[in-house]
Amino acid sequence: MNMDKKGVNTTCTHTGELEDIQFKGAVSPLYMSTSYAFEDVDIKRYPRYFNTPNQEALCKKLAALEHAEAALIFGSGMAAISTGLMAFLQAGDHIVLQQTLYGGTYNFAVTQFEKYGISYSFTDGWEVDDFEKEIKANTKVIYIETPSNPLLTITDLAGIGQLAKKHGIVSMIDNTFASPINQNPIDFGIDVILHSATKYMGGHSDICAGVIAASQEHMDKVFQTAICFGGSLSDYTVWLLERSIKTMGIRVNTQNDNAMKMAIYLNASEDVETVYYPGLENHPGHALAKSQMKGFGGMLSFELNSEIDASLFFKHLKLIKPSMSLAGIESTVLSPTKTSHALMSPEDRKKQGIKDSLIRFSLGIEEIEDLVGDIEQAISKVKSMAVPA
């Protein structure tokens, strides 16, 4: 066995763990101190410098999971995204962003970049050519998200990686929806990997965190910005996140299976208009997703038929929770127009294809039969309330 190349569950469990030298405990000890010695030490440790014992250890695990040389852990996904972007952009620079993005990222771009003299362009589509035609002489970053939030569009990782290198541009990806279990963009030539670790890494809807992973050269640049922005994570939450990541592979694979089964069920339902899931063969990005993902993920979106009120549907669910976030072990649904993409204007949502009727569905680890039963009973109740024409 090659001990330098471990399986993903072994990496989740053991890479970067701290040894309990004193008591020989089975899990990493927790170092809560915010103040460490500066005399006669090799490393001057301070929480904002991302180098306390628990921070340092977890970052090794995160880097290994994303096949990167280094990583940093942040207080939220947006802390990671904003820090990562500002590490590679300055006044006079230009960035190309994918058309469909998480609403928080979109809002950051349209409300903050101009303050710093940074110009930006959104693509018209998801093909490599859509990105190339937006590149200018001062373009410094290409930013993508695949699968995208909330429509699960798929972008060509290798194509974007090659395009960025051709033009000397840094490529960045929000890899949250896939997780490192399903997709490792560095293997396809993407430079900087971003995550909301609140989602699949945390996995239990009780941790807020973010991640950046990249080469050491790129992470050195990120670090210089990160220590100024101060988005570090408390060591107690770092310790909890390390605990959660140990089961990420098992959780995500179960969520993959549930999402695939649910997508097939919804796609065949007469009560559902459209299903967005890259695992379905009728998804326009299916073949590409199959070539660059190890699993199709635990996220899907769908639209009920027009006669079924989505708001009433939410109210009649008994097991699936209408809830703001995603990727927990419990299944959740939400309306992107009311939550994740509420900061976008109706016009911009329409341009991206995000309808008011769209429902984003995060599959948990429950038995699929129970989830299907909950959907069926909720739809049945809503239909029974409809007033005859």
Side-chain angles (χ1 to χ4, degrees), residues 12-34:
C12 284
T13 304
H14 292 293
T15 300
E17 63 183 343
L18 292 171
E19 183 181 359
D20 182 353
I21 298 173
Q22 185 174 5
F23 298 108
K24 307 299 180 183
V27 301
S28 296
L30 169 58
Y31 295 92
M32 293 289 289
S33 181
T34 59

Side-chain angles (χ1 to χ4, degrees), residues 90-146:
Q90 62 184 10
D93 289 345
H94 173 261
I95 176 173
V96 177
L97 300 117
Q98 182 173 306
Q99 181 198 53
T100 49
L101 291 175
Y102 166 55
T105 307
Y106 175 89
N107 187 61
F108 178 80
V110 300
T111 64
Q112 301 300 310
F113 281 156
E114 289 183 5
K115 295 179 183 179
Y116 297 95
I118 298 166
S119 60
Y120 58 90
S121 302
F122 288 100
T123 63
D124 290 328
W126 306 274
E127 301 296 327
V128 174
D129 288 346
D130 292 313
F131 289 86
E132 186 157 27
K133 71 181 182 181
E134 298 296 339
I135 293 175
K136 305 178 187 300
N138 60 336
T139 301
K140 295 295 188 293
V141 173
I142 294 177
Y143 187 99
I144 66 172
E145 186 178 299
T146 181

Side-chain angles (χ1 to χ4, degrees), residues 35 74 98 105 149 160 190-191 201 203 241 243 251 280 282 293 299 329 361 374 378:
S35 185
F74 293 81
Q98 182 173 306
T105 307
N149 182 358
I160 295 298
I190 303 298
D191 296 314
M201 291 181 178
L241 184 56
R243 172 219 58 184
R251 289 185 280 103
L280 293 175
N282 63 1
M293 300 182 74
M299 298 297 302
I329 55 173
F361 196 169
D374 195 28

Side-chain angles (χ1 to χ4, degrees), residues 63-78:
L65 285 168
E66 276 295 11
H67 304 175
E69 292 177 353
L72 289 179
I73 184 78
F74 293 81
S76 70
M78 278 310 302

